[in-house]
Amino acid sequence: MGATDITLDRAYLAAIWLETLFYGMNIVLFCACIYILVAKRRTPKVNKYLIAIAVLMFSFSTCHVFLGFYRLIMGFIVLRDQPGGPAAFFSDVSIPANVAKVGLHTVNSIIGDSVVVWRCFLVWGRNWKMCLLPIILVCGSAICGFGQTVYFARGQKYHSAFAPALVRWNGSLFSLSLATNIVVTGLVALRAWYMLRLTGGVAGFRYWRILVIIVESGMIYSIALICEVTLYFLGLNSFYIVYDPIGQLTGIVPTMIIILAGLHLTSNDVQSRFSRTQPVTSLSAPRFRPGKTTTSDGTTTSDIQLDTMHFSTVDSSFSKRKSAPGLSANDLDDAEAGETKNVFITPLDERTVQH
């Protein structure tokens, strides 16, 4: 333990307190997720897959915090008078409750990483080639995670998560999980930022675009993993203060992504809505150019002139004829013959004049 580090029992106590705080957030998000997917859904059928994933992650997060409290009670109350006290109890990584806790953490991490990769797959237009590297990294994380669990179960002689035999598995797991989230974060953030840039003129979208990118890319989870990996390779007990709350973040971040998808607030949905409204906006909101007009008495007044609006060729259907008020029948016939007319709109009398 370094001079700036804290004792293991204090680190574990702080870790459980933080995990409980994150678990409260997890409860609220899980309830909101189920409500949105079931009661406020915008599709005829309930998405059973998303609900199953949300329920599974919340169940694992609940078991994780329950096992953490169980170890807390055993170490500080039931076995506090054992040789070495609480610090010796928490250093024994082979305790069944700790092995089960590590296994749940691994499974939840794999599910959470898979949800983030799935989001990346959708953001990139279902292009699996963009997700090939993250998929390989998730598979590597799964192998290292289950290998770590086996070594923890056989680790009676280690009595430390920083033992060299465990560092290989733990370090590989943490590094692969961090690499997965960094790659996916970069891919999703790049694509989401590009798509949301196209909505820069839409006032209703531009204020929360950063939040969408942060949540959708799993950036919060990536930052937590950076802290976890750094503290672990430094061999500090404060690593546990980050490690246990991450057991809740593995459920919180994917649940937030599912909520965004259920509310149709993801970057894909913003781009779809913008694409539908863009043609209407371009016709109904022409650009204005300020100008000056000199009246008969010599005074100068400011007015607004409209740019020329070029309308496409009119089809020869009756509905197209009715949809062009202000144009004569001869004008429509000329349009049907392939002649393109320039139409000017004057702001003074709001009448359409043929030029």
Side-chain angles (χ1 to χ4, degrees):
M1 183 179 68
T4 59
D5 200 11
I6 61 177
T7 59
L8 183 57
D9 52 347
R10 292 181 179 179
Y12 193 81
L13 188 62
I16 292 300
W17 181 82
L18 282 177
E19 184 177 8
T20 305
L21 179 64
F22 280 101
Y23 181 66
M25 298 171 57
N26 202 355
I27 293 176
V28 175
L29 287 173
F30 173 73
C31 294
C33 180
I34 297 300
Y35 177 74
I36 290 171
L37 292 179
V38 176
K40 291 294 183 179
R41 68 181 187 276
R42 300 187 179 185
T43 56
K45 295 182 179 180
V46 176
N47 194 323
K48 298 180 180 179
Y49 296 104
L50 292 182
I51 292 179
I53 292 174
V55 171
L56 195 62
M57 289 190 300
F58 181 74
S59 300
F60 286 150
S61 298
T62 301
C63 293
H64 190 273
V65 72
F66 172 78
L67 290 172
F69 267 112
Y70 173 79
R71 293 193 69 207
L72 185 71
I73 294 174
M74 295 296 294
F76 282 101
I77 299 177
V78 179
L79 302 176
R80 62 182 179 180
D81 297 327
Q82 296 295 321
F89 173 81
F90 293 123
S91 64
D92 188 0
V93 297
S94 63
I95 294 176
N98 186 62
V99 175
K101 186 179 176 184
V102 170
L104 289 174
H105 186 104
T106 299
V107 174
N108 224 16
S109 297
I110 294 171
I111 297 175
D113 290 346
S114 300
V115 171
V116 176
V117 173
W118 164 77
R119 189 63 228 154
C120 180
F121 172 72
L122 295 182
V123 166
W124 280 94
R126 301 181 181 273
N127 185 359
W128 63 270
K129 294 181 180 179
M130 299 301 301
C131 301
L132 183 60
L133 179 59
I135 290 173
I136 295 175
L137 292 174
V138 170
C139 294
S141 300
I143 295 173
C144 293
F146 291 119
Q148 172 204 39
T149 305
V150 173
Y151 266 77
F152 267 56
R154 299 176 180 177
Q156 292 89 350
K157 59 181 179 180
Y158 300 131
H159 285 281
S160 175
F162 303 103
L166 296 178
V167 168
R168 290 193 294 268
W169 291 97
N170 290 343
S172 299
L173 171 63
F174 299 152
S175 300
L176 286 174
S177 182
L178 177 59
T180 302
N181 282 271
I182 288 178
V183 171
V184 173
T185 296
L187 290 173
V188 174
L190 179 64
R191 182 66 173 175
W193 179 259
Y194 170 74
M195 289 192 295
L196 290 177
R197 275 189 61 202
L198 301 180
T199 65
V202 184
F205 295 154
R206 64 171 175 256
Y207 298 109
W208 47 266
R209 70 174 67 181
I210 301 299
L211 178 61
V212 170
I213 293 175
I214 290 175
V215 173
E216 199 170 18
S217 64
M219 193 179 300
I220 302 173
Y221 189 44
S222 299
I223 295 174
L225 284 176
I226 292 174
C227 298
E228 178 188 47
V229 171
T230 303
L231 293 173
Y232 182 75
F233 282 111
L234 290 176
L236 301 176
N237 289 329
S238 50
F239 148 80
Y240 287 99
I241 300 178
V242 181
Y243 177 76
D244 281 343
I246 283 181
Q248 299 300 319
L249 280 178
T250 54
I252 289 176
V253 173
T255 302
M256 294 171 69
I257 295 175
I258 293 175
I259 290 176
L260 283 179
L263 291 174
H264 294 270
L265 295 178
T266 62
S267 53
N268 297 63
D269 303 310
V270 173
Q271 172 65 13
S272 299
R273 273 178 279 178
F274 180 73
S275 299
R276 291 195 300 266
T277 59
Q278 179 64 16
V280 178
T281 304
S282 62
L283 291 178
S284 60
R287 296 179 179 178
F288 293 87
R289 296 180 301 184
K292 294 182 178 181
T293 302
T294 303
T295 60
S296 57
D297 58 356
T299 60
T300 302
T301 60
S302 298
D303 60 358
I304 296 178
Q305 299 176 356
L306 294 179
D307 283 347
T308 301
M309 299 176 62
H310 299 276
F311 290 88
S312 59
T313 303
V314 183
D315 295 334
S316 58
S317 61
F318 179 74
S319 59
K320 292 296 180 180
R321 290 175 176 268
K322 295 182 64 177
S323 62
L327 295 180
S328 63
N330 294 331
D331 295 330
L332 289 176
D333 292 335
D334 291 339
E336 292 173 0
E339 299 179 11
T340 303
K341 303 290 184 178
N342 290 338
V343 180
F344 293 87
I345 299 179
T346 60
L348 300 178
D349 54 4
E350 298 183 356
R351 290 178 300 175
T352 304
V353 182
Q354 185 66 38
H355 182 66

